[in-house]
Amino acid sequence: MLVLRSSPASPFGRKVKIVAQELDLMDRIEIVVADTSDPNEALRQQNPLGKIPALILEDGFVLYDSRVIVDYLDHLAGGGRVLPADPARRYPALVLQSLADGIADAALLQVYEGRWRDEAQQSATWKAHQQGKVERGLAAAEAWPLDGSVHVGTIALACALGYLDLRFGGAWRKDHPKLVAFLEDFAARVPSFETTRVTA
Ligand SMILES: N[C@@H](CCC(=O)N[C@@H](CS)C(=O)NCC(=O)O)C(=O)O
């Protein structure tokens, strides 16, 4: 059995779970919830960075981060499934994944600013710097030629938007009509998007 260390609200963990479901690999994966803030968590031995997701292979080797894990799962499923083999589709899908993960990273750093620092220490300038990445990233995604394909790029994008819905009240929806339509269509095509949704 493969062991996935993750937490329900992680956008990167959600990306891995959706990929695993799309590839029919969930029966080979046990999910063990990790608390990244607990200094005694085994996660810190499994991934020295103390980050989720991490995937523990049957021989004990640990894969991180999420991009490596989805690459591995695609390979397990025969290759070329959620990571297109054809370079003309592969690199745009990978760049969209990087863009979407970057949006999620910048959103997460704003959440962490609130979670890890006392109120008096929090920097509005730092939060605005991260929010700039979110806004420019959303503008680039809004202009992206999305064609209904399900691959690592669109899965990562759906997870980043889902995280903005969860932690930022869906404020992105007002100015990004194409992304709203994308997410609705994605949710209809990919049932695991709903089954991995959390509300808190
Ligand atoms: N680039 C990483 C990002 C992973 C990440 O930032 N995970 C967050 C949770 S969503 C985490 O583990 N945070 C704990 C920490 O930074 O200490 C990936 O794609 O897996």
Side-chain angles (χ1 to χ4, degrees):
M1 218 45 184
L2 304 169
V3 176
L4 178 66
R5 304 300 319 272
S6 191
S7 79
S10 166
F12 307 102
R14 188 180 191 185
K15 176 176 63 169
V16 169
K17 289 172 198 163
I18 292 173
V19 164
Q21 300 212 25
E22 282 297 294
L23 299 176
D24 286 326
L25 291 171
M26 275 315 283
D27 58 345
R28 296 182 59 178
I29 301 176
E30 180 192 357
I31 298 174
V32 178
V33 172
D35 178 356
T36 56
S37 60
D38 177 358
N40 299 315
E41 242 292 353
L43 175 70
R44 294 189 185 190
Q45 276 79 56
Q46 293 155 346
N47 173 0
L49 304 175
K51 291 191 177 202
I52 51 171
L55 185 74
I56 306 167
L57 303 188
E58 272 143 14
D59 66 1
F61 189 72
V62 183
L63 300 184
Y64 49 88
D65 60 9
S66 66
R67 295 180 217 182
V68 177
I69 298 171
V70 298
D71 183 296
Y72 177 77
L73 295 180
D74 192 67
H75 158 78
L76 264 192
R81 300 275 303 276
V82 293
L83 252 175
D86 169 17
R89 294 186 60 234
R90 184 181 185 88
Y91 292 100
L94 283 170
V95 172
L96 183 61
Q97 177 179 217
S98 296
L99 179 70
D101 284 359
I103 292 170
D105 270 328
L108 197 69
L109 286 175
Q110 292 177 67
V111 171
Y112 284 176
E113 184 72 4
R115 192 176 291 167
W116 286 90
R117 285 189 203 274
D118 296 337
E119 192 134 7
Q121 288 180 321
Q122 288 176 31
S123 163
T125 312
W126 172 249
K127 284 191 192 171
H129 182 63
Q130 297 305 328
Q131 184 57 21
K133 295 175 196 289
V134 172
E135 284 166 17
R136 292 191 304 276
L138 287 172
E142 177 77 7
W144 201 274
L146 297 164
D147 62 1
S149 306
V150 175
H151 52 55
V152 288
T154 50
I155 295 170
L157 181 58
C159 293
L161 296 174
Y163 188 71
L164 294 177
D165 275 340
L166 177 67
R167 296 287 185 237
F168 295 82
W172 64 274
R173 290 173 173 271
K174 188 167 67 70
D175 296 323
H176 303 93
K178 288 189 186 148
L179 291 179
V180 171
F182 155 77
L183 196 58
E184 206 176 290
D185 177 63
F186 183 90
R189 281 168 198 268
V190 180
S192 56
F193 185 67
E194 285 306 326
T195 59
T196 55
R197 185 192 294 278
V198 293
T199 51

